[in-house]
């Protein structure tokens, strides 16, 4: 691991949402991502976890400029590209790629697997010629575990796991430095999930690739990530080294998330202490004052309603946004 | 199993006719559920875990047909007409589905949908039905239940909708609840709430539950027995603790090994089961798992292994007996 390749500073994505009547409605901001900062090093995997509506997918898209951030900066190798022109952005797309959740829906059904994987090459290296592009596509298919002989098949002829391999091959064909994976294994069967996770880890080792791995599955994120960010209503609750986070979650939300993951062992699952959060996450249109988690937090006090907690260092490079992290007895998982 | 089974499925085969020919989604499957027990049914997509119970309740799609028997209190559900089935479904047997948004009627208030169940099955007055619905919403800990009765499903969160589904399932005091992926569409913290509620229902009301899921962790928390399905057949069945501690079928072992766990150290690569789940239209002649199995023998490719008893209520469909026990 060398230097920082991606720096995200105070990134905000606010969507205007119409509330009230059709004619005299008002626009209110939906704060999907609200002040997220982090650095990513070459070859590193950052896991981003949270529940539906926490802004994890929007964050991934904003980093890639697939949705326009409304505030903050994203810098690639020291250069901010929030204000980059179309040509600069085009060049940056070569360096960063994306893998989506639904493997079938993210592939054009009218294109063959070979055409899908080759498309980025035609966009950026069209002068290579058909023979060389074909050779590179077959090589990449082999790398991601697809039979190169299937190059002329269409997406519907592949299983879900194979379609996701096509998506990974398309992302990898330009040898990018960063791949954002948005729930890449959530739609896959259990026995296929492990195959795709292993594939991503192997590609990372081979190409020194940095990964942003967005998922609601804390067990998978733990397996693949070096560092993990926990999001809630668009805000960072905790950002820490993988081992530190899972051994000693500091934020009450992280603790509750971890306690909620069922363990596939009947004795342990039934014996474990239950930390059950009441209610559902609040609407991001109407977030609570102060700490956004306080309405479901078992440790919330008046202070939490008044003041928004800042991200504080808890040691090393680990951060937590909680007024009470010092007083709470750390639970080890 | 001291008591007589509540539901006994016997040699069930479920066939779907498609443009490309007929497909057996479930093949020659037998199992039983005793009063008050929770049977977990686990398998991947296409394993037939849902269709087994859809067939038993007469809920197959138009191109599906079922053969065999599904005995509920001695009556074969597969031979009953719609009227007789309607008298059982929602009353003695209730269902909870994965997505409460699509299984609740969008244009009826929660109160009316709940009341309708009681009016239909119990013939009570509308006022009485409303009162009982309110009691049931309180029981499943829906906050602010009076107000919820007047709300439409889209006004509720996913977790609340699933609580309403559970309340609806419990209204007539069923003997059996079939819960098909009841928490799959929910966030983990809400999943924990719903699993807790199901556990409470099972423990306090002694309702038998069939819990259909792909999540081994969910099974581990709730089930008494587990049936593992692959390609339309049960490959392993037995007491949940025994099966998880000492899985005997290579597929069960593989599934357990490839699931990343929060309670184990992080290893390098995850264990994987090679290959893909089978295409039901082109099943191999012998064991359907043979092409992916690390312990495969030549004989596995010739004859389909029968589900056989191993003693102690355990069963497996695998010809190998020489596999070392799990450590």
């Amino acid at each position: 691991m060398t230097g920082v390749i991606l720096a995200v500073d105070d990134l905000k994505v606010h969507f205007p949402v119409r509330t009230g009547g059709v004619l005299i409605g008002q626009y209110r901001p939906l704060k999907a991502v609200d002040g997220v900062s982090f650095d990513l090093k070459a070859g590193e995997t950052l896991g981003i976890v949270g529940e539906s509506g926490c802004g994890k997918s929007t964050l991934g898209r904003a980093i890639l400029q697939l949705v326009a951030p409304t505030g903050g900066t994203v810098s690639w190798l020291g250069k901010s590209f929030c204000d980059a022109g179309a040509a600069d952005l085009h060049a940056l797309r070569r360096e960063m790629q994306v893998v989506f959740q639904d493997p079938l829906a993210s592939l054009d059904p009218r294109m063959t697997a070979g055409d899908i994987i080759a498309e980025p090459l035609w966009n950026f290296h069209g002068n290579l010629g058909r023979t060389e592009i074909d050779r590179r596509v077959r090589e990449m298919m082999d790398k991601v575990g697809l039979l190169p002989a299937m190059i002329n098949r269409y997406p519907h002829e592949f299983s879900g796991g194979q379609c996701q391999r096509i998506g990974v091959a398309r992302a990898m064909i330009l040898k990018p430095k960063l791949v954002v994976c948005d729930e890449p294994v959530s739609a896959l069967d259990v026995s296929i999930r492990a195959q795709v996770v292993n594939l991503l880890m192997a590609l990372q080792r081979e190409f020194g690739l940095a990964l942003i791995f967005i998922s609601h599955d804390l067990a998978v994120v733990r397996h693949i990530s070096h560092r993990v960010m926990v999001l809630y209503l668009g805000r960072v609750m905790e950002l820490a080294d993988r081992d530190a986070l899972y051994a000693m979650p500091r934020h009450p939300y992280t603790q509750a998330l971890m306690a909620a993951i069922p363990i596939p062992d009947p004795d342990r699952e039934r014996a474990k202490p239950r930390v059950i959060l009441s209610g559902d996450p609040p609407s991001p249109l109407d977030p609570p004052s102060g700490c956004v988690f306080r309405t479901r937090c078992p440790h919330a006090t008046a202070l939490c309603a008044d003041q928004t907690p800042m991200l504080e260092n808890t040691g090393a490079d680990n951060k937590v946004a909680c007024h009470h992290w010092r007083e709470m007895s750390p639970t080890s998982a | 199993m001291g008591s007589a089974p509540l539901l006994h499925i016997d040699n069930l085969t479920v066939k779907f006719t498609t443009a490309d020919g007929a497909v057996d989604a479930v093949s020659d499957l037998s199992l039983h559920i005793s009063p008050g027990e929770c049977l977990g049914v686990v398998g991947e997509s296409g394993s037939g875990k849902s269709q087994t119970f859809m067939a038993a309740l007469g809920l197959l799609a138009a191109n599906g047909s079922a053969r065999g028997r599904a005995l509920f209190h001695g009556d074969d559900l597969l031979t009953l007409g719609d009227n007789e089935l309607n008298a059982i479904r929602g009353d003695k047997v209730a269902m909870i589905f994965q997505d409460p948004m699509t299984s609740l009627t969008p244009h009826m208030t929660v109160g009316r949908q709940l009341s309708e169940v009681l009016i239909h099955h119990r013939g009570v007055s509308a006022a009485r039905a409303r009162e009982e619905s309110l009691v049931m919403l309180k029981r499943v800990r829906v906050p602010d239940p009076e107000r919820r009765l007047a709300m439409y499903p889209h006004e509720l969160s996913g977790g609340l909708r699933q609580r309403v589904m559970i309340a609806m399932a419990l209204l007539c005091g069923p003997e059996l609840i079939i819960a098909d992926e009841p928490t799959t569409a929910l966030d983990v913290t809400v999943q924990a709430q719903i699993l807790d509620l199901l556990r409470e229902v099972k423990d306090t009301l002694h309702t038998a539950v069939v819990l259909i899921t792909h999540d081994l962790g969910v099974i581990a928390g709730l089930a008494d027995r587990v049936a593992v399905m692959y390609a339309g057949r049960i490959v392993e069945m037995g007491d949940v603790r025994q099966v998880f501690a000492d899985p005997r079928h290579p597929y069960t072992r593989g599934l357990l090994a490839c699931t990343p766990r929060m309670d184990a150290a992080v290893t390098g690569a995850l264990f994987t089961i090679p290959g893909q789940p089978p295409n039901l239209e082109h099943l191999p002649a012998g064991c359907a798992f043979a092409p992916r199995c690390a312990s495969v023998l030549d004989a596995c490719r010739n004859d389909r292994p029968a589900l056989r008893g191993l003693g102690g209520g355990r069963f497996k469909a695998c010809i190998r007996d020489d596999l070392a026990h799990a450590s």
Side-chain angles (χ1 to χ4, degrees):
Chain A
M1 290 194 199
T2 49
V4 170
I5 56 168
L6 179 79
V8 174
D9 186 38
D10 199 25
L11 191 70
K12 290 183 173 134
V13 184
H14 294 183
F15 295 110
V17 174
R18 191 201 289 269
T19 56
V22 178
L23 289 175
I24 47 165
Q26 294 175 317
Y27 285 97
R28 272 175 36 200
L30 185 155
K31 298 178 177 175
V33 176
D34 199 22
V36 171
S37 306
F38 67 91
D39 291 339
L40 188 71
K41 297 190 193 105
E44 185 183 38
T45 302
L46 174 73
I48 301 182
V49 297
E51 298 180 282
S52 40
C54 73
K56 55 190 188 299
S57 291
T58 307
L59 174 58
R61 278 156 204 250
I63 291 165
L64 297 167
Q65 305 291 307
L66 296 175
V67 296
T70 45
T73 57
V74 180
S75 313
W76 179 254
L77 297 171
K79 189 166 172 261
S80 165
F81 61 83
C82 283
D83 42 28
D88 291 341
L89 264 184
H90 183 73
L92 277 165
R93 296 257 182 263
R94 210 172 354 181
E95 311 274 347
M96 45 185 79
Q97 292 287 322
V98 59
V99 176
F100 295 103
Q101 169 169 4
D102 187 332
L104 197 54
S106 55
L107 304 178
D108 187 334
R110 297 163 303 179
M111 288 168 74
T112 63
D115 290 341
I116 290 169
I117 300 168
E119 197 176 26
L121 278 180
W122 285 111
N123 284 344
F124 287 99
H125 304 287
N127 56 351
L128 284 174
R130 180 164 295 282
T131 321
E132 172 61 13
I133 285 183
D134 197 61
R135 190 192 67 74
R136 290 198 189 181
V137 168
R138 285 171 190 273
E139 187 187 59
M140 187 51 71
M141 286 181 80
D142 187 51
K143 236 174 200 96
V144 301
L146 290 167
L147 289 175
M150 298 171 99
I151 190 165
N152 289 322
R153 302 258 189 112
Y154 288 89
H156 74 268
E157 298 176 77
F158 293 90
S159 68
Q162 288 172 322
C163 282
Q164 201 56 299
R165 288 177 194 269
I166 296 174
V168 171
R170 173 178 60 183
M172 289 303 300
I173 193 83
L174 293 173
K175 310 267 160 67
K177 293 195 175 70
L178 167 68
V179 176
V180 175
C181 306
D182 188 359
E183 300 270 13
V185 299
S186 305
L188 306 178
D189 271 321
V190 183
S191 71
I192 304 303
R193 222 172 259 186
Q195 295 177 3
V196 174
V197 168
N198 284 352
L199 171 64
L200 289 170
M201 291 174 78
L203 291 172
Q204 172 167 61
R205 269 197 307 278
E206 184 172 348
F207 296 104
L209 186 69
L211 291 172
I212 292 182
F213 191 92
I214 299 167
S215 176
H216 68 281
D217 187 332
L218 271 86
V220 172
V221 165
R222 173 172 176 243
H223 195 85
I224 200 169
S225 305
H226 301 109
R227 278 192 306 149
V228 178
M229 173 189 287
V230 181
L231 277 185
Y232 188 80
L233 283 187
R235 294 185 148 269
V236 178
M237 298 289 107
E238 191 160 1
L239 172 59
D241 183 66
R242 185 260 315 268
D243 292 332
L245 185 90
Y246 283 83
M248 199 181 282
R250 301 278 190 180
H251 198 284
Y253 179 58
T254 316
Q255 293 169 2
L257 267 185
M258 287 189 187
I261 310 290
I263 301 169
D265 177 319
D267 290 320
R268 287 190 196 178
E269 173 60 16
R270 288 167 213 217
K272 78 177 184 192
R274 306 210 171 279
V275 188
I276 292 187
L277 291 182
S278 57
D280 300 279
S283 160
L285 257 182
D286 194 13
S289 65
C291 172
V292 287
F293 182 59
R294 71 175 167 84
T295 51
R296 298 174 80 200
C297 182
H299 310 282
T301 61
L303 175 67
C304 305
D306 286 346
Q307 286 179 28
T308 306
M310 295 292 122
L311 270 179
E312 289 180 52
N313 263 318
T314 62
D317 203 14
N318 304 329
K319 300 185 181 78
V320 65
C322 176
H323 291 304
H324 301 296
W325 71 269
R326 281 189 187 81
E327 306 134 47
M328 279 183 316
S329 62
T331 56
S332 43
Chain B
M1 307 301 143
S3 46
L6 191 59
L7 176 68
H8 183 108
I9 292 177
D10 190 22
N11 287 314
L12 178 73
T13 295
V14 178
K15 211 179 262 303
F16 286 95
T17 25
T18 68
D20 301 329
V23 170
D24 283 354
V26 179
S27 305
D28 207 15
L29 179 140
S30 299
L31 57 78
H32 71 270
I33 295 116
S34 301
E37 83 164 334
C38 177
L39 175 73
V41 181
V42 68
E44 298 180 282
S45 40
S47 63
K49 58 190 190 301
S50 294
Q51 295 309 329
T52 299
F53 296 92
M54 294 297 258
L57 295 173
L59 294 173
L60 287 179
N63 64 339
S65 62
R67 235 182 31 237
R69 294 191 304 168
L71 300 171
F72 182 72
H73 284 302
D75 293 328
D76 186 356
L77 299 177
L78 299 187
T79 63
L80 296 185
D82 273 349
N83 287 339
E84 293 160 302
L85 276 173
N86 281 341
I88 293 174
R89 293 186 296 221
D91 184 13
K92 291 197 172 70
V93 182
M95 284 144 284
I96 301 169
F97 295 104
Q98 170 170 352
D99 184 352
M101 191 62 216
T102 51
S103 41
L104 291 169
T105 309
H107 65 270
M108 277 165 72
T109 62
V110 166
R112 232 185 107 197
Q113 296 190 52
L114 289 168
S115 300
E116 199 177 55
V117 176
L118 287 163
I119 295 168
H120 176 83
H121 286 295
R122 292 279 181 266
V124 301
S125 69
R128 173 81 190 279
R130 187 180 185 283
E131 207 172 293
E132 284 190 32
S133 303
L134 194 60
V135 171
M136 194 51 79
L137 284 186
K138 282 183 189 152
R139 170 154 214 158
V140 299
R141 292 192 300 280
V142 168
D144 206 358
E146 281 94 351
R147 204 162 59 85
R148 307 290 178 193
L149 282 180
M151 291 174 107
Y152 290 89
H154 76 268
E155 298 178 275
L156 306 176
S157 68
L160 275 183
R161 282 198 289 263
Q162 202 57 295
R163 281 183 198 267
V164 168
M165 276 299 289
I166 294 172
M168 191 182 285
L170 293 175
L171 274 176
C172 290
E175 293 170 68
L176 175 64
I177 294 178
I178 293 173
D180 189 355
E181 301 271 10
T183 59
T184 306
L186 305 175
D187 278 321
V188 278
T189 58
V190 180
Q191 164 171 288
Q193 298 166 9
I194 297 296
L195 291 177
D196 222 41
L197 178 62
L198 286 173
R199 193 173 295 122
E200 188 187 311
V201 165
K202 172 178 157 301
D203 292 346
T204 57
L205 304 176
H206 308 291
T207 311
V209 178
V210 173
L211 180 66
I212 303 168
T213 176
H214 67 283
D215 189 330
L216 290 163
V218 169
I219 298 268
L222 217 54
D224 301 308
R225 283 192 305 138
V226 59
V228 183
M229 289 188 68
Y230 190 80
R233 293 168 185 270
I234 294 176
V235 295
E236 178 155 12
M237 184 159 60
D239 173 83
V240 70
R241 286 192 168 81
Q242 291 181 22
V243 171
F244 275 68
D246 177 22
R248 299 284 179 86
H249 194 286
Y251 178 61
T252 318
R253 291 180 177 202
L255 264 191
L256 279 165
C258 73
T259 308
R261 303 168 59 131
M262 295 287 281
D263 62 332
V266 178
T267 52
L270 286 170
F271 180 87
T272 59
I273 303 176
Q276 320 283 334
N279 181 341
L280 293 173
E281 287 172 37
H282 308 286
L283 280 184
C287 172
F289 187 61
R292 305 176 73 190
C293 182
S295 314
V296 65
L297 303 174
D298 282 345
C300 300
R301 303 189 203 274
N302 300 329
D303 298 308
R304 195 154 280 161
L307 189 67
R308 60 197 171 96
L310 306 170
R314 295 198 61 178
F315 299 85
K316 77 166 175 179
C318 175
I319 58 169
R320 294 202 60 165
D321 276 325
D322 51 336
L323 299 178
H325 288 199
S327 53

